[in-house]
Every structure is written in structure tokens, then in C-alpha cells.
Amino acid sequence: MDIKQKVIAITGAGRGLGRAIALSLAEQGAVLALMDVNRADLEVTEAEVHSRDGRCALFVCNVASEPEVEAAFAAIDEQFGALHGLVNCAGILRDGMLIKVKEGELVEKMSLAQWQAVIDVNLTGTFLCGREGAALMARGGQGVIINISSIARAGNMGQSNYAASKAGVASLVVTWGRELARHGIRVMGIAPGVFATDMTAAMKPEAMARMQQAIPVGHLGEAAQLAQTVQFILANDYLSGRMIEIDGGLRL
Ligand SMILES: NC(=O)c1ccc[n+]([C@@H]2O[C@H](COP(=O)([O-])OP(=O)(O)OC[C@H]3O[C@@H](n4cnc5c(N)ncnc54)[C@H](O)[C@@H]3O)[C@@H](O)[C@H]2O)c1
């Protein structure tokens, strides 16, 4: 797909990887529907898009809320009259061990709220945006959906909730890739390793140091490299139903 003048929605576009994806697509001439729960952050992304002579509109929306997502995609349709791409990038972490036991006594456990918050945003949010986005793209007979998963989808200590959510969005890539091809919609996933963003800045320093040491190429990924992968997927019409791993060789 030639993305010039194509309408691409990006969730989690307020900062981090979502913002980097937005800026790189703006530079390529895409028209952007920037979605995030945080208006102030979205406005910063908007200013950066405009400074690159890009075109965008903001849609403040909690991806975990069905009415908000439905309203946001209806507003995208009203504003642009079409949707050609969707990057499901909004995501949160609420790390913790399943249980913590000290001297044989249970001292802590992952709460249902901690579990549910991550599943709601990362997995249900991707489902809701994917569903509403696919409905608009099917009308136009073409589109691309990209789910941002994670290397943690294989399972990771302290991330029961996050790893399960990211395995979920990876499985949606396969299911949707099969279901939506008949409507001209391709579906791909990206499983990033560790990238330098606000999300990773919130990781415990000892966990970050361990992580960095374990990355074969020796450093974190840069958001622009992730954005390059998004561009590659959008451009290559024979990619569908698969994950691309971008992790500097790191295996969990
Ligand atoms: N940074 C990494 O190393 C890394 C690695 C693997 C996967 N990922 C995934 O990439 C995506 C982006 O990560 P990031 O590092 O840029 O994170 P980030 O925290 O910097 O940005 C996430 C964005 O999502 C938005 N968001 C959160 N909850 C939302 C909701 N309910 N509705 C709408 N927007 C919401 C936030 O406001 C924020 O702007 C996430 O899905 C994350 O799981 C990141």
C-alpha cells in the first residue's frame, strides 16, 4: 500500500512508540487519526506532526471502553470518510509476581484489578479498535491492521497479565489475518524487544540492567526502528497473518 494520503489510525499515539510511528508516517504523507486517553500528550504529538507539515486529527479515547471506541471510529469516519490502516499500540504494564511467599507465608498476590487493567487495555482495547477499524476498512475494500505485541508474549517472570495480553494480540493477528483477507484487509503483528520509552523508563533499574546485558546487540531498540518496521508492513502487500520480531536478538 502506498501510504501517501492514506488515513491511518494509531492508538497510544500520545507518546513513546505510538508517537514515533505517527511522526514517521506523517513524514511519508499519511493522514493520521491520533488516538490516546491522554489529550495533553496527543496535543504534543499533533504539534510535532504539524512541524513536519503532516496532517492529523485527535481522538481522545480509552481503548478499553466500547462506547468510547465506537464513538472515536465514528468520528474518524465522519472526519475523513475512510480508514486504510490501524496500528494498535496503546498498552500498559502492571507488573507483579503471581504470588509472593516469604518463609512459607503468602505475603502478596497479583490482584484481579492488576490482571484485569492490563487485559482490558492491551487485549480488549486491541479487539475493540480492531473490530471498529476493520468495519470501516471492509467498506473501502482495503486496509492493514498492525497489533503491537511483545517479546513477553512467550511468557515472562512478573508479567502474568502483560504476557497473556500480548500472546492474545498475537493470536488475533492469525485469526484476523484469516478472517479479513476476503475484505482486502491484511493483519500483522510486531513483537518488540526492549525499546527506550517512558514505559521502559518505569522499569526497575536492576531489571533494566539485566535486560540490557541479555540483548545480543548490546543496547535497547530505538523507536524510529520500530516505526520503520510499521512502514515496511504497510508497504508490502504480501505480508499478512504473521509476527515480525524486532528485538536485537533477545530471547526471553
Ligand atoms: N517500550 C518497549 O520496550 C516495548 C516493548 C514491547 C512492546 N511494547 C508495546 O508497545 C506499545 C507502546 O509502548 P510504549 O513503550 O510506547 O508505552 P508508553 O507508556 O510510552 O505509551 C503508551 C501510550 O498508550 C496510551 N494508553 C494507555 N492506556 C490507554 C487507554 N486505555 N486508551 C488509550 N490510550 C492508552 C498512553 O497514554 C500512552 O500514550 C505498548 O503496547 C507496549 O506494550 C513496548
Side-chain angles (χ1 to χ4, degrees):
M1 185 167 80
D2 176 2
I3 64 167
K4 272 202 188 62
Q5 301 301 320
K6 296 290 195 310
V7 181
I8 316 270
I10 304 164
T11 73
R15 65 177 201 184
L17 299 180
R19 179 183 289 166
I21 293 165
L23 299 184
S24 93
L25 296 183
E27 282 168 0
Q28 301 295 308
V31 177
L32 302 173
L34 303 177
M35 304 170 71
D36 204 288
V37 76
N38 186 320
R39 177 179 288 281
D41 284 350
L42 270 183
E43 285 170 354
V44 176
T45 305
E46 177 184 44
E48 293 197 27
V49 167
H50 287 160
S51 77
R52 288 162 171 76
D53 292 328
R55 224 183 113 196
C56 67
L58 309 186
F59 302 89
V60 178
C61 152
N62 173 4
V63 296
S65 157
E66 185 174 43
E68 287 188 33
V69 171
E70 286 177 342
F73 280 87
I76 291 171
D77 191 26
E78 198 176 325
Q79 176 129 2
F80 297 119
L83 183 69
H84 306 101
L86 163 67
V87 184
N88 280 310
C89 191
I92 61 169
L93 289 168
R94 295 282 185 276
D95 289 358
M97 300 294 275
L98 183 66
I99 54 167
K100 271 191 189 163
V101 178
K102 253 189 196 155
E103 291 158 12
E105 295 285 329
L106 179 69
V107 291
E108 211 179 305
K109 51 188 184 179
M110 179 176 280
S111 68
L112 178 58
Q114 198 177 351
W115 165 267
Q116 199 64 53
V118 173
I119 297 297
D120 285 352
V121 176
N122 298 9
L123 182 55
T124 306
T126 295
F127 158 69
L128 289 172
C129 293
R131 186 188 70 188
E132 296 308 306
L136 288 184
M137 292 177 207
R139 210 183 54 201
Q142 70 164 329
V144 183
I145 298 174
I146 301 173
N147 290 348
I148 306 298
S149 175
S150 166
I151 191 172
R153 78 189 192 284
N156 196 25
M157 286 266 286
Q159 293 195 314
S160 295
N161 45 7
Y162 185 78
S165 74
K166 293 301 184 179
V169 305
S171 98
L172 291 175
V173 167
V174 180
T175 303
W176 293 351
R178 289 184 177 151
E179 287 188 13
L180 299 176
R182 74 196 67 178
H183 304 298
I185 301 170
R186 298 187 288 111
V187 186
M188 286 291 288
I190 300 177
V194 191
F195 281 69
T197 64
D198 295 330
M199 183 184 260
T200 44
M203 278 173 77
K204 291 189 180 116
E206 56 272 22
M208 175 57 73
R210 263 202 317 274
M211 186 71 85
Q212 220 156 331
Q213 239 176 7
I215 301 172
V217 302
H219 54 84
L220 304 192
E222 287 168 21
Q225 294 168 322
L226 195 281
Q228 205 177 17
T229 308
V230 169
Q231 273 189 38
F232 170 67
I233 290 172
L234 290 170
N236 190 324
D237 290 330
Y238 204 56
L239 286 172
S240 196
R242 299 284 173 192
M243 300 294 299
I244 292 184
E245 327 226 343
I246 171 163
D247 50 26
L250 177 65
R251 298 278 178 281
L252 290 183

